[in-house]
């Protein structure tokens, strides 16, 4: 499947399509050996194009076996068209006409999970970004929007359920045991939103009455055995529909909304019009099989895909450089939703730490790119943390700058103005400008400049004049292709925490919190009437995606941790405090100096653990020390083993000093109410399990508790937490073995639970990690052909078992190289994503650095590399 010499696509080369497709009629005849796709397109020249004499070039792929082409009912001869591996050119296309093509494809052999493929017993599709061209010849670009009618024909006994976008308009039986259903989608859409599903599926049904009183039929299609795992997704869907009406004034448009769960899927889910296709991991949930984290992920992804109906489908992207137009905005919308459904502070902390750990790393690495990239080789490589997560942060900053009411006016204007259109990020920003009267010219740099800005702040208190001066200085490191950066607009939400822990007044209005707008490289804020030594609480809620450098002392951080009225910044102070300590201890470990934990840190944590007035979820978050992945991101040179040692040392020291407090917490939260995945219960369980993990470090008590919890848990959160605690405890190997065996015996038929079982073992940080992973690859619960399993075992090992993956013998790198090459042809998208951990080789010391580079080079040199993998490997070398 070697790609022809991969080309780079540039934003600046964008031209409107010379042709439009007003109507698209598809007939799929799903046969045992091949599927026949008959496509009828009503084509006309685009009056907006300057190329009025262009020939018609339809996108296609090497998978299409062309049977015939007609224009206006006339069969074309060989000289009338040119077919190559990725296009079909019609030389004599009249001004307008009907084009009919017939192709044969083999979905049963398609392992890429793009286009039409099979997941177990089902036929399903994934067309974003450019999968439709693997199904039929088409203008597969998002600015070509068409009205689709789709007839699906298949064997009735094997494929009783036949679905596509829109509403069913016809159905019936055919000879030979076949039947058909015809679907019509009245909304014009680009081909990437097309979907088809065929198979034996059970269905959970519900309904929703919209704000204008229309009744919508809601259906979730799953395998029969999973019918008891749909309630949470259904509830999440109804909540999303109500929330989008209330918060954005957006009502659902079709009469049916369907979700289908499939096992084999490259990402979380896909927003196909009226027919969302979901990875089973993003839709199925029940307390027996699903952790709290997965319940919340299901809620967030159901919401995300539903919200795309407006931010993505009704208003879509002109081209793929605009991807963040739909993804950044939709991530922002789903995070607002999750915040409203659960705890806003907890949600913001989770998002901020994810951003800092993963997006900041991407922004600092060789694949760094702006939220609106200006070139790509393979668009699938640009479904990134930058486009999604940083894109969401940028939308959030617009809301911070405009205020919630004006932001809502801006979003209303955007949706009204561009309904039914394929537009650019520029149009989104302009709607926000027009609604607010504010000039966002400089703000637009957030879309164009890559890299994570650094915000340096220094303060001076003049006791006599009672003033506090804050000196701000922003900078942004050079990133590939961008050496010089211009200043960003940075909204800094801030307050001052006084000596007694109270908020100080900042201005004549009596505000105790302001949003200070930084737009110069250097800027000074003078606050008057500050009669005491106050601690600045800066960038509350991470009000901009930047790195803060203030130079806090330990005392100041402990003060914020105990007193800041902003919950996010209390947590953030605990993180900054621990980061400083961990960086110091990492150096101690490297230089073989004795390690010791500052008593101020222990005192700060003691205060935290004994304050019963605190939200348990917040305490749990503060107990989770910065992850190894975050420590890697923060380090100038990444010494994986020393980082691991330092972190283990702090955990063990805290556990030793505060064992009684951890025990008290464990017991206080070890209640078993009827399981509900609500914020209060989730907080309580996460605190209990955080305490358990510390107790594992202080002798047998922890092991006994973990075993008891494993045996008695009535929900997967507690069960998996106990299993993981045992697996990671060197003194508990007997218990761990038994627990793993019992767990396997109980859940062997639950694919998603077995993925968790694989993952827990993949991230066991004790020595010998790679050998355990290689063993598990032979287990029947694993297969290379399922992306979830690859992520749970190989992805988890390489991304979250850092001390084992970065073994200085290079075995982890050689292993990853082997897996990437094995997957290269089978699933290019997943193969390319797997490469990521190798791309940061420049930040590692020898011998790691050289060994990582060697593995990357070996990947790049592999003959027949698909362009997905080629792009990442070559850009990283
Ligand atoms: N648009 C999907 C989302 O909601 C992303 C997606 C799903 C996707 N499957 C994909 C992107 C396959 C590329 C390839 O975020
Ligand atoms: Zn999305």
């Amino acid at each position: 499947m070697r790609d022809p010499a991969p080309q780079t696509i540039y934003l600046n080369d964008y031209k409107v399509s010379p042709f439009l497709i007003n109507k698209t009629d598809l007939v799929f005849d799903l046969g045992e050996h091949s599927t026949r796709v008959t496509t009828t397109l009503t084509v006309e020249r685009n009056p907006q194009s300057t190329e009025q004499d262009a020939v018609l070039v339809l996108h296609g792929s090497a998978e299409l076996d062309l049977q015939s082409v007609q224009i206006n009912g006339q069969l074309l001869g060989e000289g009338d068209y040119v077919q190559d591996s990725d296009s079909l050119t019609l030389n004599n296309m009249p001004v307008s006409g009907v084009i009919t093509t017939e192709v044969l494809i083999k979905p049963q052999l398609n392992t890429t999970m793009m286009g039409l493929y099979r997941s177990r017993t089902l036929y399903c599709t994934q067309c974003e970004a450019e999968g439709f061209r693997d199904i039929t010849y088409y203008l597969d670009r998002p600015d070509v929007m068409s009205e689709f009618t789709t007839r699906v024909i298949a064997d009735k006994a094997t494929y009783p359920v036949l679905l596509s976008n829109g509403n069913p308009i016809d159905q019936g039986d055919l000879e030979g045991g076949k039947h058909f259903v015809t679907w019509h989608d009245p909304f014009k859409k680009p081909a990437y939103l097309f979907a088809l599903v065929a198979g034996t599926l059970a269905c959970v049904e519900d309904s929703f009455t919209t704000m204008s009183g229309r009744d919508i039929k809601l259906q979730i299609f799953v395998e029969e055995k999973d019918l008891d795992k749909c309630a949470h997704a259904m509830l999440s869907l109804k909540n999303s529909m109500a929330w989008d009406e209330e918060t954005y004034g957006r009502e659902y448009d079709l009469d049916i909304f369907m979700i289908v769960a499939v096992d084999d899927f490259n990402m979380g889910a896909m927003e196909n019009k009226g027919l969302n296709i979901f990875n089973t991991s993003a839709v199925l949930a029940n307390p027996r099989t699903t952790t709290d984290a997965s319940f919340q992920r299901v809620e967030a992804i159901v919401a995300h895909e539903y919200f795309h109906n407006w931010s993505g489908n009704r208003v879509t992207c002109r081209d793929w450089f605009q991807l963040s137009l739909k993804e950044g905005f939709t991530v922002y919308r789903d995070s607002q939703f999750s915040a409203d459904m659960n705890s806003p502070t907890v949600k913001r902390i989770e998002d901020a730490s994810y951003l800092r750990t993963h997006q900041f790393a991407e922004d600092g690495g060789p694949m760094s790119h702006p939220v609106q990239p200006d070139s790509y080789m393979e668009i699938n490589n640009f479904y990134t943390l930058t486009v999604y997560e940083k894109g969401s942060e940028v939308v959030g900053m617009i809301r911070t700058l405009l205020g919630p009411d004006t932001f809502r006016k801006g979003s209303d204007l955007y949706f009204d103005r561009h309904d039914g259109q394929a537009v650019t990020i520029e149009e989104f920003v302009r709607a926000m400008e027009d609604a607010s009267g504010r000039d966002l010219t400089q703000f637009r740099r957030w879309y164009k400049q890559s890299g994570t800005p650094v915000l340096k702040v220094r303060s001076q208190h003049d006791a006599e004049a009672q003033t506090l001066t804050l000196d701000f200085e922003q900078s942004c490191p050079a990133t590939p292709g961008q050496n010089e950066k211009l200043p960003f607009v940075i909204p800094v939400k801030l307050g001052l925490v006084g000596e007694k822990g109270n908020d100080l007044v900042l201005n004549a209005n009596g505000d105790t919190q302001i949003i200070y707008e930084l737009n110069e490289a250097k800027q000074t804020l003078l606050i008057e009437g500050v009669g005491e030594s106050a601690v600045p609480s800066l960038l509350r809620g991470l009000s901009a995606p930047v790195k803060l450098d203030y130079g806090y002392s330990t005392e100041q951080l402990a003060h914020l941790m105990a007193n800041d009225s902003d919950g996010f910044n209390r947590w953030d102070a605990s993180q900054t405090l621990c980061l400083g300590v961990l960086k110091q201890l990492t150096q101690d470990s490297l230089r073989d100096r004795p390690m010791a934990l500052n008593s101020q840190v222990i005192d700060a944590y003691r205060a935290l653990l004994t304050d019963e007035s605190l939200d348990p979820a917040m305490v749990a978050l503060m107990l989770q020390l910065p992850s190894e992945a975050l420590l890697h991101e923060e380090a100038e040179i990444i010494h994986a083993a020393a980082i691991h040692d330092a972190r283990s040392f702090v955990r063990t020291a805290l556990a030793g000093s505060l064992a009684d407090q951890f025990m008290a917490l464990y017991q206080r939260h070890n209640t078993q109410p009827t399981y509900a995945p609500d914020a209060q219960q989730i907080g309580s369980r996460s605190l209990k399990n955080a305490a358990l993990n510390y107790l594992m470090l202080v002798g047998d008590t922890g092991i006994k508790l973990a075993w008891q919890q494993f045996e008695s848990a009535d929900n997967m959160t507690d069960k998996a937490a106990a299993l993981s605690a045992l697996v990671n405890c060197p003194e508990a190997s007997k218990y761990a073995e038994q627990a793993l065996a019992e767990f396997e015996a109980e859940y062997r038929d639950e694919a998603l639970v077995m993925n968790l079982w694989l993952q827990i073992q993949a991230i066991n940080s004790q020595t010998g990690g790679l050998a355990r992973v290689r063993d598990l690859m032979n287990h029947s619960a694993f297969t290379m052909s399922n992306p979830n399993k690859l992520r749970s075992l190989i992805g988890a090992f390489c991304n979250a078992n850092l001390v084992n993956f970065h073994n200085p013998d290079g075995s982890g790198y050689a292993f990853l190289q082997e897996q990437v090459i094995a997957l290269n042809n089978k699933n290019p998208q997943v193969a390319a994503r797997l490469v990521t951990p190798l791309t940061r080789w420049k930040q590692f010391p020898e011998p790691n650095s050289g060994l990582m580079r060697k593995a990357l080079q070996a990947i790049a040199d592999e003959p027949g590399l698909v362009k997905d993998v080629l792009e990442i490997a070559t850009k990283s070398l």
Side-chain angles (χ1 to χ4, degrees):
M1 198 213 302
R2 186 175 191 134
D3 292 304
Q7 288 194 345
T8 300
I9 316 286
Y10 296 91
L11 168 58
N12 283 337
D13 291 344
Y14 175 83
K15 284 199 204 114
V16 299
S17 174
F19 291 93
L20 301 173
I21 303 175
N22 284 321
K23 292 206 170 161
T24 301
D25 273 274
L26 301 164
V27 180
F28 287 82
D29 192 347
L30 303 168
E32 208 178 318
H33 302 293
S34 62
T35 291
R36 179 175 299 268
V37 186
T38 309
T39 305
T40 306
L41 308 175
T42 312
V43 176
E44 63 179 37
R45 288 196 182 264
N46 182 355
Q48 257 142 45
S49 170
T50 54
E51 308 162 278
Q52 290 301 323
D53 48 5
V55 293
L56 175 59
V57 184
L58 297 173
H59 299 113
S61 78
E63 323 309 319
L64 306 181
D65 178 3
L66 183 63
Q67 304 294 299
S68 67
V69 197
Q70 298 175 28
I71 297 183
N72 295 326
Q74 294 288 98
L75 206 59
L76 298 194
E78 297 253 314
D80 302 329
Y81 60 89
V82 182
Q83 195 191 353
D84 68 21
S85 69
D86 56 14
S87 65
L88 177 67
T89 304
L90 304 188
N91 296 323
N92 308 310
M93 179 62 203
V95 178
S96 67
V98 176
I99 296 171
T100 306
T101 61
E102 244 187 322
V103 300
L104 294 179
I105 51 177
K106 295 199 181 308
Q108 69 278 16
L109 302 182
N110 178 0
T111 59
T112 63
M113 291 167 209
M114 288 299 283
L116 179 65
Y117 67 99
R118 292 190 57 113
S119 173
R120 288 158 57 87
T121 57
L122 296 179
Y123 282 99
C124 63
T125 54
Q126 171 56 39
C127 295
E128 187 178 6
E130 297 178 338
F132 196 72
R133 62 187 67 184
D134 296 336
I135 295 177
T136 187
Y137 289 105
Y138 201 74
L139 291 174
D140 188 8
R141 44 185 289 171
D143 58 350
V144 172
M145 298 171 75
S146 186
E147 190 184 322
F148 281 69
T149 305
T150 306
R151 172 178 298 224
V152 189
I153 304 168
D155 181 72
K156 190 173 183 175
T158 323
Y159 307 101
V161 177
L162 304 176
L163 309 174
S164 190
N165 316 86
N167 307 306
I169 53 168
D170 193 11
Q171 65 183 79
D173 289 341
L174 300 168
E175 37 186 70
K178 290 191 167 194
H179 72 144
F180 76 93
V181 181
T182 306
W183 294 79
H184 174 247
D185 180 359
F187 292 94
K188 282 196 158 200
K189 66 169 176 289
Y192 84 85
L193 291 171
F194 171 80
L196 175 157
V197 171
T200 303
L201 288 160
C203 170
V204 170
E205 206 168 299
D206 206 327
S207 71
F208 178 82
T209 306
T210 69
M211 59 199 218
S212 72
R214 293 172 39 246
D215 268 329
I216 315 294
K217 178 156 68 163
L218 311 177
Q219 295 178 309
I220 301 181
F221 291 90
V222 297
E223 284 185 41
E224 176 95 42
K225 67 177 172 59
D226 293 323
L227 275 175
D228 62 346
K229 303 192 189 79
C230 297
H232 185 65
M234 187 63 90
L235 178 65
S236 302
L237 175 59
K238 290 192 282 182
N239 287 340
S240 305
M241 295 178 88
W243 187 90
D244 211 18
E245 293 184 346
E246 224 159 89
T247 316
Y248 282 88
R250 300 294 115 200
E251 184 176 351
Y252 187 63
D253 44 17
L254 290 161
D255 299 330
I256 323 176
F257 186 83
M258 297 173 283
I259 286 177
V260 180
V262 305
D263 261 301
D264 305 300
F265 203 69
N266 281 345
M267 311 268 274
M270 179 62 212
E271 71 266 23
N272 317 302
K273 183 77 188 188
L275 178 56
N276 289 359
I277 297 183
F278 272 62
N279 189 321
T280 44
S281 76
V283 60
L284 303 181
N286 79 19
R288 194 182 80 84
T289 56
T290 311
T291 62
D292 290 339
S294 295
F295 267 95
Q296 297 206 301
R297 179 167 177 267
V298 166
E299 179 182 65
I301 298 182
V302 167
H304 180 97
E305 306 311 330
Y306 174 73
F307 296 156
H308 267 316
N309 191 54
W310 276 96
S311 48
N313 302 3
R314 288 289 285 262
V315 182
T316 195
C317 300
R318 186 191 76 172
D319 55 74
W320 294 119
F321 297 102
Q322 319 301 328
L323 183 58
S324 195
L325 174 71
K326 75 177 177 80
E327 295 305 346
F329 188 23
T330 305
V331 171
Y332 183 66
R333 279 151 53 68
D334 83 57
S335 64
Q336 283 182 295
F337 168 76
S338 292
D340 285 353
M341 294 293 126
N342 302 285
S343 153
T345 308
V346 170
K347 172 65 178 159
R348 188 60 193 146
I349 290 171
E350 288 166 355
D351 287 353
S353 54
Y354 188 67
L355 186 84
R356 284 174 174 163
T357 307
H358 302 291
Q359 195 278 324
F360 284 12
E362 181 170 275
D363 235 350
M367 285 295 292
S368 181
H369 56 275
V371 171
Q372 179 177 68
D374 36 38
S375 71
Y376 61 76
M377 261 162 123
E378 170 51 62
I379 184 56
N380 286 327
N381 287 335
F382 285 80
Y383 286 75
T384 60
L385 295 149
T386 300
V387 166
Y388 277 66
E389 265 61 44
K390 187 176 181 177
S392 161
E393 294 297 320
V394 173
V395 173
M397 285 190 288
I398 296 179
R399 188 167 184 267
T400 302
L401 293 170
L402 266 51
D405 297 340
T406 308
F407 178 81
R408 168 65 195 272
K409 284 193 190 118
S411 75
D412 284 353
L413 180 60
Y414 168 72
F415 287 127
D416 290 351
R417 199 184 258 180
H418 300 297
D419 190 7
Q421 299 177 1
V423 301
T424 62
I425 288 172
E426 175 57 26
E427 262 109 18
F428 179 80
V429 178
R430 201 167 312 130
M432 290 294 164
E433 279 182 327
D434 291 349
S436 65
R438 202 191 145 117
D439 181 355
L440 294 171
T441 308
Q442 185 188 351
F443 184 85
R444 284 173 172 79
R445 288 177 190 158
W446 280 110
Y447 288 104
K448 297 280 189 189
Q449 294 190 139
S450 54
T452 306
V454 177
L455 178 61
K456 186 171 159 185
V457 187
R458 291 294 181 264
S459 68
Q460 276 175 322
H461 183 222
D462 184 335
E464 217 167 289
Q466 303 210 339
T467 57
L468 183 84
T469 320
L470 291 174
D471 289 309
F472 293 82
E473 189 177 340
Q474 60 164 306
S475 61
C476 183
T479 45
Q482 294 189 353
N483 286 326
E484 302 294 330
K485 314 285 167 111
L486 296 167
F488 291 88
V489 178
I490 301 180
V492 187
K493 193 187 271 191
L494 63 87
L496 287 180
V497 182
E499 283 165 6
K500 295 197 188 69
N502 53 312
D503 272 334
L504 301 187
V505 170
L506 304 173
N507 56 25
N509 298 337
D511 295 328
T512 55
Q513 174 171 287
I514 57 168
I515 291 159
Y516 179 64
E517 289 183 28
L518 186 66
N519 40 46
E520 310 282 337
K522 289 185 183 184
Q523 217 165 292
T524 298
L525 169 65
L526 181 82
I527 304 171
E528 288 179 296
V530 184
E532 55 186 291
S533 76
V535 184
S537 168
L538 300 166
L539 217 65
R540 282 178 168 172
L542 192 67
S543 56
V546 304
K547 295 184 185 182
L548 176 66
D549 163 9
Y550 177 79
Y552 285 109
S553 68
T554 304
E555 291 76 15
Q556 287 178 314
L557 291 170
H559 190 65
L560 291 180
M561 211 173 137
N563 299 297
D564 200 322
S565 63
D566 183 78
F568 180 94
N569 269 21
R570 285 181 81 162
W571 164 80
D572 207 17
S574 77
Q575 291 283 293
T576 310
L577 179 64
C578 291
L579 269 175
V581 166
L582 288 162
K583 283 181 186 172
Q584 185 55 51
L585 290 168
T586 302
Q587 292 306 313
D588 292 341
S589 165
L590 269 178
R591 298 192 164 72
D592 276 326
R593 289 191 299 239
M595 293 196 250
L597 184 57
N598 184 337
S599 64
Q600 283 171 300
V601 176
I602 298 174
D603 291 342
Y605 271 91
R606 182 177 292 111
L608 192 70
L609 298 191
T610 45
D611 184 345
E612 291 188 26
S613 72
L614 292 173
D615 175 2
M618 290 295 298
V619 179
L621 286 165
M622 295 207 228
L623 284 175
Q624 264 139 36
L625 302 183
S627 66
E628 283 180 40
L630 182 67
L631 292 164
H632 281 219
E633 207 297 300
E634 288 271 335
E636 237 154 89
I637 301 173
I638 304 169
H639 294 281
I643 285 173
H644 180 77
D645 288 347
R647 194 167 178 278
S648 304
F649 174 81
V650 173
R651 291 177 52 76
T652 308
L654 285 175
S657 307
L658 303 170
D660 294 346
Q661 286 83 353
F662 283 120
M663 187 54 119
L665 272 184
Y666 183 87
Q667 268 149 3
R668 188 169 346 126
H669 291 278
N670 191 27
T671 54
Q672 292 212 339
T674 307
Y675 179 91
D678 60 36
Q680 191 255 321
Q681 279 196 19
I682 291 175
S684 179
R685 275 189 290 274
S686 67
L687 181 52
K688 172 180 69 180
N689 289 318
L692 176 64
N693 277 315
Y694 279 97
L695 290 167
M696 297 306 286
L697 302 167
V698 285
D700 291 350
T701 350
I703 299 178
K704 287 206 187 87
L705 286 180
W707 179 256
Q708 267 170 27
Q709 179 172 319
F710 179 80
E711 290 290 291
S712 65
D714 69 347
N715 65 80
M716 186 46 71
T717 306
D718 287 338
K719 189 107 181 163
L723 179 65
S724 161
L726 292 168
V727 164
N728 280 286
C729 176
E731 293 80 34
S733 57
K734 283 256 152 52
Y735 288 96
E737 258 170 60
Q738 195 181 334
L740 284 168
E742 285 183 16
F743 193 96
E744 182 189 349
E746 186 168 352
Y747 300 104
R748 62 169 79 246
D749 297 326
E750 297 282 358
L752 297 173
V753 185
M754 288 310 284
N755 294 350
L756 187 57
W757 182 83
L758 292 169
Q759 188 191 332
I760 287 171
Q761 296 176 82
I763 62 183
N764 173 2
S765 64
Q766 295 179 71
T767 50
L770 179 58
R772 289 190 294 271
V773 169
R774 283 200 186 270
D775 272 351
L776 287 168
M777 287 177 72
N778 295 319
H779 192 279
S780 59
F782 180 79
T783 161
M784 289 289 278
S785 62
N786 177 275
N788 290 350
K789 301 209 176 276
L790 292 167
R791 284 186 277 264
S792 299
L793 191 56
I794 300 174
F797 176 74
C798 300
N799 290 290
N801 194 341
L802 295 171
V803 69
N804 274 297
F805 176 66
H806 291 290
N807 189 326
D809 68 6
S811 55
Y813 312 144
F815 169 74
L816 184 51
Q817 171 193 327
E818 186 186 320
Q819 305 315 323
V820 168
I821 290 171
L823 279 169
N824 171 53
N825 274 301
K826 293 205 179 85
N827 190 328
Q829 261 179 65
V830 173
R833 271 170 202 276
L834 270 187
V835 181
T836 308
L838 291 173
T839 60
R840 300 181 65 209
W841 60 273
K842 282 187 184 132
Q843 273 136 291
F844 285 80
E846 292 299 348
N848 297 67
S849 182
L851 292 164
M852 291 170 87
R853 185 166 192 281
K854 188 169 148 245
L856 256 186
Q857 187 69 57
I859 292 171
D861 291 344
E862 180 70 15
L865 211 58
V866 293
K867 68 176 171 178
D868 311 54
V869 178
L870 186 75
E871 176 171 34
I872 300 206
T874 51
K875 286 185 176 172
S876 310
L877 276 164

